[in-house]
């Protein structure tokens, strides 16, 4: 079946620190992979996506590379800002158009 | 893209009552999904709302507790029936995707924050 395993949080970083949030997946076939972000009090927003192996999704300084050999889609950002404080969800899209989400990782960036 | 309007945005309800959540999309979509996000947890798919047929429920969710309507291609409702405090969650409507494996993203409503007292 399909599942997503995501790094446990919460994560607290100082401004301008490097961020990595690990995500691995189990899926049948070749799913599309996504990172969603949920800012306090808001709904989920797409952060970035990748549709095939070796694709790199990027947005707002965040990047993630679709690694088929390690079934991973780790999220990275070189220099985080206070405004990046949010909950980040890794997800995959299965054949039935259903999305499977990781447990979410809460990030707090302190000045 | 799709714009999803969900209401109410929040509600506080008495145990034993029911609440119906509405989801309106600005374009016609084949499939709509309802998720639950319990406090501090990830999203769990409740069911897929299919236009013109019964909703498809995930394991652990039943129609008697979460009846769903899908009268047309732009609208769906989820009812949380006979509520208990354990039903306190954020309920999210979602649309997206096409057929097969492609890169269509999921779009989410703002969610309905339900508190049962």
């Amino acid at each position: 079946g399909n599942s997503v395993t995501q790094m446990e949080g919460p994560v607290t970083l100082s401004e301008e620190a490097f961020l990595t949030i690990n995500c691995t997946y189990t899926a049948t076939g070749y799913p599309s992979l996504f990172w969603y972000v949920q800012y306090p009090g808001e709904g989920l927003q797409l952060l970035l996506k990748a549709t095939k192996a070796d694709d790199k999704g990027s947005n707002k300084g965040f990047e993630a590379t679709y690694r088929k050999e390690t079934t991973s889609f780790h999220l990275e950002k070189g220099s985080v800002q206070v405004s990046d404080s949010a909950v980040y969800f890794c997800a995959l899209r299965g054949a039935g158009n259903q999305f499977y989400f990781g447990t979410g990782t809460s990030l707090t960036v302190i000045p | 893209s799709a714009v999803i309007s969900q209401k109410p945005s929040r509600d506080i309800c008495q145990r034993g009552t029911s609440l119906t959540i509405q989801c309106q999309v600005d374009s016609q979509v084949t499939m709509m999904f309802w998720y639950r996000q319990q406090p501090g947890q990830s999203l769990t798919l409740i069911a897929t709302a299919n236009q013109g047929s019964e909703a498809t429920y995930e394991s652990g969710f039943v129609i008697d507790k979460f009846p769903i309507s899908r009268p047309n291609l732009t609208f769906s409702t989820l009812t949380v029936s006979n509520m208990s405090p354990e039903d306190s969650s954020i309920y999210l409507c979602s649309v997206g995707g096409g057929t097969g494996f492609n890169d269509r993203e999921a779009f989410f409503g703002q969610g309905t924050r339900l508190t049962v007292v």
Side-chain angles (χ1 to χ4, degrees):
Chain A
N2 296 318
S3 67
V4 175
T5 302
Q6 192 174 335
M7 186 176 88
E8 295 275 339
V11 174
T12 302
L13 294 174
S14 297
E15 206 165 21
E16 299 184 0
F18 184 85
L19 169 70
T20 299
I21 301 177
N22 289 336
C23 172
T24 58
Y25 67 90
T26 302
T28 53
Y30 303 99
S32 294
L33 301 175
F34 303 81
W35 277 99
Y36 280 83
V37 58
Q38 186 176 36
Y39 297 103
E42 299 185 14
L44 274 76
Q45 303 172 26
L46 178 68
L47 180 60
L48 54 83
K49 63 185 179 185
T51 60
K52 60 183 186 296
D54 300 326
D55 266 4
K56 177 185 284 188
S58 61
N59 185 29
K60 299 181 181 180
F62 291 89
E63 293 183 341
T65 301
Y66 190 143
R67 300 288 188 198
K68 181 167 171 280
E69 63 276 12
T70 55
T71 62
S72 65
F73 193 55
H74 304 322
L75 181 69
E76 296 181 337
K77 186 173 185 181
S79 176
V80 294
Q81 305 300 312
V82 172
S83 57
D84 294 326
S85 298
V87 181
Y88 293 82
F89 293 92
C90 184
L92 71 82
R93 181 173 176 274
N97 296 331
Q98 297 169 355
F99 276 68
Y100 299 85
F101 289 86
T103 53
T105 300
S106 176
L107 170 66
T108 300
V109 180
I110 55 178
Chain B
S1 65
V3 177
I4 303 171
S5 301
Q6 195 174 328
K7 59 181 181 182
S9 58
R10 59 178 62 231
D11 207 343
I12 301 173
C13 300
Q14 297 290 325
R15 66 176 68 201
T17 63
S18 298
L19 175 72
T20 296
I21 303 167
Q22 299 180 4
C23 179
Q24 179 75 52
V25 189
D26 68 343
S27 57
Q28 293 185 340
V29 294
T30 305
M31 300 169 77
M32 298 175 74
F33 304 92
W34 287 98
Y35 289 85
R36 181 174 72 182
Q37 185 180 17
Q38 293 179 300
Q41 299 188 28
S42 186
L43 284 73
T44 301
L45 182 64
I46 297 172
T48 303
N50 307 304
Q51 198 274 331
S53 64
E54 292 284 333
T56 305
Y57 289 83
E58 298 299 303
S59 175
F61 298 96
V62 296
I63 188 171
D64 289 346
K65 176 66 176 178
F66 297 102
I68 287 171
S69 77
R70 183 80 198 275
N72 57 52
L73 291 173
T74 64
F75 188 78
S76 177
T77 67
L78 169 76
T79 299
V80 186
S81 302
N82 188 24
M83 289 184 285
S84 67
E86 291 71 34
D87 294 320
S88 298
S89 287
I90 299 173
Y91 292 85
L92 292 147
C93 172
S94 173
V95 305
T99 56
F101 292 105
N102 62 48
D103 64 351
R104 298 282 291 275
E105 66 179 273
F107 298 92
F108 290 86
Q110 293 293 332
T112 297
R113 185 179 296 272
L114 170 63
T115 302
V116 183
V117 297

